[in-house]
Amino acid sequence: MNNTDFKERAKELVSKMTLAEKISQMTHESMAIERLGVPAYNWWNECLHGVARAGTATVFPQAIAMAASFDEELMYEVATAISDEARAKYNEYKKFGNTLIYQGLTYWSPNINIFRDPRWGRGHETYGEDPYLTGKMGTAFIRGLQGSGKYRKLDATIKHYAVHSGPESERHSFDAVVSKKDLYETYLAAFKYCVENADPSAVMGAYNRVNGEACCASKTLLTDILRGEFAFDGYVVSDCGAINDINSGHKITKNEAESAALAVNNGCDLNCGCSYPYLKVAVAEGYITEEKITETVERLFTARFRLGMFDNDCEYDKISYDVVDCEKHHGLSRKMARESIVLLKNNNILPIKSDKIKKIAVIGPNADDKSVLLGNYNGTPSSYTTLLRGIQEAAKENNQKVYYARGCDIFGDAAHDWAEQPTREAIIAADKSDAVIMIMGLNPSMEGEEGDAYNGSISGDKRDIELPEIQKKLFDEIIKTGKPVIFINVSGSCVNLTAQDEKCAAVVQCFYPGAEGGGALADIIFGKESPCGRLPVTFYRSTADLPPFNDYSMENRTYKFFHGKPLYEFGYGLTYCDIKENWIDANIVELTNTGDYDVNYTVLRYEYIPILNGVQCKNLAGFKKVFLKKGSIVTVSIK
């Protein structure tokens, strides 16, 4: 059955609906139309890195972590596993006669915004700062979600369109002013790539304005560019409450009827929120025609027919609930977590060898914290391994002793005289050990979405890129012991690690690694696997390196345009091997592994593009993950 058939069936069904019935289908909580056999349906579902908010599911590493793998094939496998679990859940939920929120097939993932500034709280939901990497990883994810059968397995929704990356506290009224060059080369590039290469079912509009137009009602973004230039043929959904923002926050329209009409007239089909019921008023006032509403609802029902919701022969209806949170998916999660870990410094202390290091101190507030495994928009794992537990289990196998001390809170000093004082315990643990593993950084309560984070005054964004002061104090105390320190930074974004780079024997970046993160980290630091992750974002030395947060110009931002010297550059990542790259020409490289490990290795191909006055822009133009056996020589083509 081709897409034309789905469109014709949608057109026939919608032709039988009254205006009120059509409008009832245009919000995320679509009403049942019993006389036409249309069940109620809630369009809102999440699967950023696993089926989210729908009970038990495999929790894969957060999106920024998966980006660090630079592994498209593995990303496709992960997305396929996620879609299997999503379909299995839907197959059971629909037996109740309808599906509630987080129980359907239309998923509002992935987030392909560009992580232009490390202070943005939601950056860890993205694939980093590079449009090409984002487009490639996004394409693999979308293809894995949507499948390649007669029907769509799930609907993937690329978001948030467009030019959206904070500040969170101003998103309901903010106008992102951006040049045409930055708009097309940076902010829209991944959207265009995904539309052309993955055919995503849907696009979600952003809260903010772009150059004066509200994203969810922008003729420029939705009509001219998305449907015109990019030839997007799916449906557009608003972010939640964004239509109301058009009048209440952006002050473009006078009321919700005008806002709803403006959005639908410019191509926003589905409202997450409660503004589109005002379309009945809008029609009466002449703001919009019923024909336009009909066209919109036909798009929405084309999607539902394409998902097999009204048929009995959909191949995905046979997916069993046994795939949910299964052992195979746990293993896949652990594999992705291993590939997401980035080794930033190593003075030969890693991997840890039991003949040299017999006693280990594990210190830090993130060591035994479940939340740092899960990130945000996450599911509920039936089992999980914290970073501490993973280290303990690996050390036990090697007959090594582990001393654990939390050392300090994640942020904030003790609030009263009778509070626990854990720093001395950490010093004792360090003194009794041959080496210290410090597990510090941030957690998802410290960087996230408006309304989700502890730092409510800035709505989930970060004021700076520093470690919390209480963690700095603990770090200094442990350094004073003179014991070699392996520093594990856990965060979804860049943190200033200049002191750690200077004073520690090894530095490791562990983005929120999923439910199997503890085992994956242990696999790396105890040498079962060589690290192979690369940074999908620049790690700056100071907040002073950054332009103003609300400036959307790409000048002096990301690896392409930054004027200074980063601590760790985009694409940086070490292995336990000595890999030699011999570029034969611009597209072909010979790789030699002279190390003692078999290793997955990502080759990065850059182009250097002139900008102005002799300045060149370094631009990622290709990458490929390659398996290299120790002692092997492999020739790789990257076009």
Side-chain angles (χ1 to χ4, degrees):
M1 192 177 296
N2 61 41
N3 202 40
T4 302
D5 296 323
F6 295 131
K7 287 182 178 180
E8 288 302 316
R9 292 175 69 188
K11 188 172 184 178
E12 180 183 1
L13 179 60
V14 174
S15 71
K16 300 174 183 178
M17 296 180 188
T18 66
L19 174 61
E21 287 172 335
K22 283 181 273 195
I23 292 172
S24 77
Q25 302 303 299
M26 295 175 66
T27 59
H28 73 282
E29 294 182 279
S30 296
M31 307 288 287
I33 308 176
E34 293 182 6
R35 70 181 186 88
L36 296 177
V38 176
Y41 180 70
N42 195 306
W43 292 75
W44 188 346
N45 303 275
E46 305 283 356
C47 66
L48 183 65
H49 55 118
V51 178
R53 301 176 177 178
T56 301
T58 305
V59 180
F60 292 92
Q62 176 62 295
I64 194 74
M66 294 195 286
S69 75
F70 281 73
D71 194 330
E72 296 171 83
E73 293 182 5
L74 186 56
M75 177 65 100
Y76 177 83
E77 288 185 55
V78 166
T80 300
I82 292 170
S83 60
D84 281 348
E85 295 195 17
R87 261 288 175 173
K89 284 180 171 286
Y90 172 78
N91 291 342
E92 297 300 322
Y93 284 131
K94 70 180 180 180
K95 294 176 183 177
F96 290 90
N98 61 14
T99 51
L100 306 177
I101 190 170
Y102 310 132
Q103 297 177 0
L105 294 175
T106 46
Y107 278 80
W108 295 350
S109 303
N111 182 342
I112 60 169
N113 291 133
I114 297 303
F115 197 0
R116 68 180 175 97
D117 192 303
R119 290 167 291 195
W120 184 36
R122 298 189 71 179
H124 56 98
E125 298 178 28
T126 76
Y127 300 132
E129 68 184 34
D130 182 74
Y132 180 71
L133 174 64
T134 298
K136 296 287 278 187
M137 298 301 276
T139 291
F141 192 80
I142 294 162
R143 287 175 174 170
L145 289 190
Q146 296 191 160
S148 56
K150 170 182 172 183
Y151 294 95
R152 280 273 160 96
K153 194 176 184 185
L154 302 179
D155 275 3
T157 305
I158 51 177
K159 64 184 185 184
H160 308 81
Y161 184 79
V163 197
H164 177 77
S165 54
E168 283 289 300
S169 62
E170 301 175 27
R171 67 184 186 175
H172 302 288
S173 59
F174 184 73
D175 186 14
V177 178
V178 63
S179 69
K180 187 173 182 179
K181 177 181 174 64
D182 286 343
L183 178 67
Y184 277 90
E185 291 184 359
T186 298
Y187 294 110
L188 296 184
F191 286 95
K192 182 175 188 288
Y193 190 95
C194 289
V195 167
E196 292 178 346
N197 293 280
D199 190 24
S201 299
V203 171
M204 176 179 278
Y207 284 113
N208 52 281
R209 280 172 285 157
V210 173
N211 296 336
E213 292 182 88
C215 290
C216 289
S218 169
K219 179 180 182 298
T220 302
L221 289 176
L222 297 180
T223 303
D224 298 343
I225 298 176
L226 183 64
R227 297 200 189 277
E229 294 176 32
F230 297 173
F232 175 69
D233 190 36
Y235 58 95
V236 174
V237 57
S238 77
D239 209 334
C240 296
I243 305 302
N244 175 260
D245 286 344
I246 297 171
N247 53 278
S248 65
H250 300 300
K251 310 297 183 184
I252 292 173
T253 55
K254 295 178 181 178
N255 53 50
E256 288 191 77
E258 288 187 12
S259 297
L262 184 67
V264 177
N265 279 327
N266 284 311
C268 185
D269 304 299
L270 185 69
N271 171 212
C272 180
C274 53
S275 296
Y276 277 11
Y278 289 91
L279 285 168
K280 193 169 184 180
V281 175
V283 172
E285 293 292 333
Y287 302 148
I288 191 170
T289 64
E290 183 172 352
E291 289 74 22
K292 188 67 177 179
I293 289 172
T294 299
E295 175 189 320
T296 292
V297 179
E298 287 174 357
R299 271 199 289 264
L300 297 176
F301 273 91
T302 297
R304 292 183 67 175
F305 277 112
R306 190 173 54 198
L307 286 162
M309 288 184 180
F310 299 96
D311 297 330
N312 296 316
D313 64 339
C314 178
E315 61 266 47
Y316 303 120
D317 288 346
K318 299 175 183 177
I319 297 177
S320 166
Y321 200 78
D322 291 338
V323 303
V324 175
D325 196 43
C326 65
E327 286 303 313
K328 178 182 177 182
H329 293 174
H330 291 178
L332 185 61
S333 179
R334 184 163 175 163
K335 181 179 180 182
M336 177 58 92
R338 281 196 300 263
E339 291 205 13
S340 75
I341 293 168
V342 187
L343 179 60
L344 300 174
K345 177 185 177 180
N346 186 22
N347 286 348
N348 296 318
I349 194 171
L350 293 178
I352 293 173
K353 299 296 185 183
S354 58
D355 59 338
K356 295 181 180 179
I357 298 174
K358 299 186 180 300
K359 293 181 290 184
I360 303 165
V362 177
I363 296 170
N366 278 343
D368 203 34
D369 182 359
K370 177 183 176 182
S371 79
V372 301
L373 305 178
L374 305 183
N376 71 347
Y377 282 96
N378 57 280
T380 302
S382 62
S383 62
Y384 61 91
T385 305
T386 65
L387 305 181
L388 171 65
R389 178 61 60 86
I391 292 168
Q392 288 172 328
E393 291 177 354
K396 186 176 181 180
E397 291 180 11
N398 298 330
N399 295 314
Q400 293 165 297
K401 171 71 175 178
V402 173
Y403 298 98
Y404 166 61
R406 182 168 57 89
C408 69
D409 292 332
I410 188 73
F411 59 85
D413 289 306
H416 44 75
D417 292 341
W418 58 91
E420 181 185 4
Q421 303 292 323
T423 302
R424 288 184 176 182
E425 181 187 34
I427 295 170
I428 292 168
D431 283 337
K432 291 187 174 296
S433 300
D434 302 316
V436 177
I437 300 174
M438 296 200 77
I439 305 179
M440 305 178 82
L442 310 177
N443 73 21
S445 77
M446 301 169 70
E447 49 179 350
E449 187 172 3
E450 178 194 43
D452 288 348
Y454 88 92
N455 51 348
S457 63
I458 49 174
S459 301
D461 294 327
K462 300 188 300 181
R463 297 186 186 280
D464 52 47
I465 62 171
E466 297 298 319
L467 286 170
E469 284 301 319
I470 194 169
Q471 293 190 45
K472 289 183 179 180
K473 291 177 183 177
L474 176 62
F475 176 76
D476 290 341
E477 291 300 318
I478 300 305
I479 289 296
K480 288 177 186 176
T481 67
K483 297 300 175 71
V485 173
I486 300 163
F487 192 88
I488 313 294
N489 182 66
V490 186
S491 67
S493 58
C494 157
V495 171
N496 177 6
L497 299 177
T498 52
Q500 289 68 37
D501 183 71
E502 177 186 347
K503 298 175 182 178
C504 295
V507 180
V508 175
Q509 174 63 27
C510 183
F511 297 104
Y512 304 135
E516 302 297 321
L521 178 64
D523 289 343
I524 295 297
I525 64 177
F526 287 92
K528 284 188 177 180
E529 299 272 350
S530 171
C532 64
R534 290 182 180 268
L535 292 178
V537 290
T538 300
F539 268 52
Y540 302 95
R541 296 173 181 270
S542 167
T543 309
D545 288 336
L546 306 173
F549 186 19
N550 59 5
D551 180 0
Y552 268 76
S553 168
M554 290 308 297
E555 174 69 14
N556 203 29
R557 291 193 183 279
T558 74
Y559 78 99
K560 292 188 182 185
F561 309 110
F562 181 49
H563 300 321
K565 181 176 175 57
L567 179 64
Y568 305 117
E569 64 182 355
F570 170 90
Y572 181 75
L574 304 173
T575 73
Y576 292 153
C577 298
D578 186 11
I579 309 295
K580 303 295 185 186
E581 294 186 8
N582 176 31
W583 286 87
I584 297 170
D585 61 29
N587 300 313
I588 299 175
V589 60
E590 183 183 80
L591 304 174
T592 304
N593 181 3
T594 60
D596 296 326
Y597 280 79
D598 298 341
V599 64
N600 287 302
Y601 183 78
T602 300
V603 190
L604 305 181
R605 176 179 176 268
Y606 289 101
E607 293 176 340
Y608 292 85
I609 302 170
I611 306 178
L612 289 172
N613 303 322
V615 177
Q616 288 188 323
C617 167
K618 184 179 181 181
N619 185 59
L620 182 67
F623 63 90
K624 183 175 286 190
K625 200 70 173 261
V626 183
F627 179 70
L628 296 173
K629 294 187 73 67
K630 57 184 178 182
S632 67
I633 300 175
V634 176
T635 300
V636 179
S637 175
I638 304 179
K639 294 184 179 179

